[in-house]
Amino acid sequence: MLRAFIGKVTFNKPTIYFSQFKSQRWMHSRNKQAMELIAKGWSALQEVDRVIDYCELNDKRLIPFLRTAKENFELALEADNSNTHARYWLSKLHMKYHVPGACKVVGAALLVEAAEMGDPDAQYELGCRLRVENDYVQSDQRAFYYLEKAVDQLHPGALYLLGAVYLTGDCVKKDAASAMWCFHRASKKGHAGAAIAYGSLLLRGVQVPESLAKFDAKRGSSNRKSRKNAGSPEPNPVEMAREQFEIAANAGCDLGFRWLKRLEEEEKRLLISHS
């Protein structure tokens, strides 16, 4: 009896293993196919975005690219119905572009689905769209909910927008420390607007939150030790702000260049006054 039991176990175990392996392999293949289709659709959409500012939104020359993008996103969704990227990009096509067969209701439904499934871009997009002034629809709290979901995944746009919400106290309690945290994390991801906001607040004398100071202390402890050994002072708010404006300038933000020029002129003025 024991031998029979062992025989069943040893016989069944490989069967379960191989069936799981085949299932995982099939899912991987399906996801890979979907991502390839999304890449093709996104490439076609990039061609549209490249010229859309120089032509009419319903220009007939854009239709072939829009159709290609739509077909590929739809095929990607057929290949992998759980793919949130396909849902998100297909929703953008329906809601933003003049693609044949576009339907804003379908686009809105796809956007909500993608957001509920955890796509950070969809959560940010939905949060932005819900932040509308409407006397009949109380959507601010719902918008804040989706923005927070995107922030949890460190979406730079959501971090910047949530920072602005905390800074102004719009639909939440005003909290400069939380705003600074959001701007800081977004600037680390290269968001130009967040870098400008963070640098400007530093110049206004807003204190860096303790949580950020500890975070930077852990990451930059070796740099600080080298500065101390060299006898150089700790970075001051102006230098910290300069770093932020450089991030914005590197991202191509004109305001970043203006702030850097302004700091340079201010330094020259101070040197002349002290000489």
Side-chain angles (χ1 to χ4, degrees):
M1 184 176 179
L2 184 59
R3 287 181 181 177
F5 176 75
I6 294 173
K8 287 181 180 179
V9 172
T10 54
F11 177 79
N12 291 334
K13 190 174 181 180
T15 306
I16 296 171
Y17 173 80
F18 282 120
S19 65
Q20 289 177 344
F21 176 76
K22 287 179 181 178
S23 176
Q24 290 174 357
R25 186 175 180 181
W26 175 74
M27 289 177 65
H28 173 73
S29 176
R30 187 179 63 173
N31 186 56
K32 183 181 178 182
Q33 182 186 2
M35 294 308 293
E36 288 174 353
L37 290 166
I38 291 170
K40 290 179 182 178
W42 185 80
S43 179
L45 205 55
Q46 285 293 100
E47 289 297 316
V48 175
D49 289 338
R50 188 171 59 86
V51 298
I52 199 168
D53 292 334
Y54 308 100
C55 63
E56 296 293 330
L57 293 176
N58 57 352
D59 194 312
K60 292 182 179 180
R61 291 172 294 180
L62 301 178
I63 291 178
F65 295 106
L66 291 170
R67 276 182 174 158
T68 299
K70 185 171 181 286
E71 288 171 2
N72 278 284
F73 293 146
E74 287 174 343
L75 287 172
L77 209 53
E78 288 179 12
D80 183 5
N81 192 47
S82 64
N83 193 295
T84 59
H85 300 300
R87 269 184 171 77
Y88 169 67
W89 285 108
L90 192 55
S91 74
K92 283 184 74 74
L93 268 177
H94 279 284
M95 299 180 74
K96 180 180 177 181
Y97 299 91
H98 289 260
V99 59
C103 176
K104 291 189 181 296
V105 175
V106 172
L110 288 167
L111 183 62
V112 172
E113 285 179 0
E116 290 292 343
M117 292 170 72
D119 186 89
D121 290 322
Q123 290 167 344
Y124 171 64
E125 179 87 12
L126 186 56
C128 291
R129 288 183 176 274
L130 286 173
R131 280 182 56 80
V132 293
E133 293 184 7
N134 194 322
D135 295 332
Y136 304 100
V137 179
Q138 298 296 325
S139 59
D140 277 350
Q141 291 300 325
R142 198 63 183 165
F144 190 72
Y145 167 80
Y146 284 112
L147 287 175
E148 279 195 317
K149 288 289 185 183
V151 165
D152 288 341
Q153 301 186 66
L154 299 180
H155 187 285
L159 283 164
Y160 172 64
L161 187 54
L162 191 61
V165 168
Y166 276 123
L167 188 64
T168 58
D170 182 16
C171 83
V172 294
K173 186 178 179 181
K174 197 171 182 179
D175 188 346
S178 295
M180 290 284 280
W181 184 90
C182 290
F183 291 146
H184 177 270
R185 296 309 297 268
S187 72
K188 288 292 184 183
K189 288 182 169 288
H191 194 286
I196 294 293
Y198 190 64
S200 302
L201 289 172
L202 286 170
L203 291 179
R204 286 171 54 187
V206 178
Q207 294 295 319
V208 177
E210 186 179 352
S211 59
L212 279 183
K214 289 181 178 178
F215 178 77
D216 288 336
K218 289 180 180 178
R219 296 190 64 182
S221 58
S222 59
N223 293 333
R224 244 193 346 273
K225 286 178 182 178
S226 62
R227 283 199 302 268
K228 285 181 179 179
N229 293 335
S232 59
E234 289 288 321
N236 57 43
V238 176
E239 289 302 317
M240 293 169 67
R242 189 194 304 277
E243 290 178 5
Q244 296 301 314
F245 299 144
E246 286 175 352
I247 291 173
N250 291 334
C253 178
D254 185 59
L255 196 55
F257 290 107
R258 291 183 185 180
W259 270 108
L260 288 173
K261 185 178 180 181
R262 184 176 174 182
L263 286 178
E264 187 178 348
E265 290 174 351
E266 185 66 19
E267 285 179 346
K268 288 180 180 178
R269 187 185 66 80
L270 289 173
L271 285 173
I272 293 172
S273 63
H274 287 299
S275 60

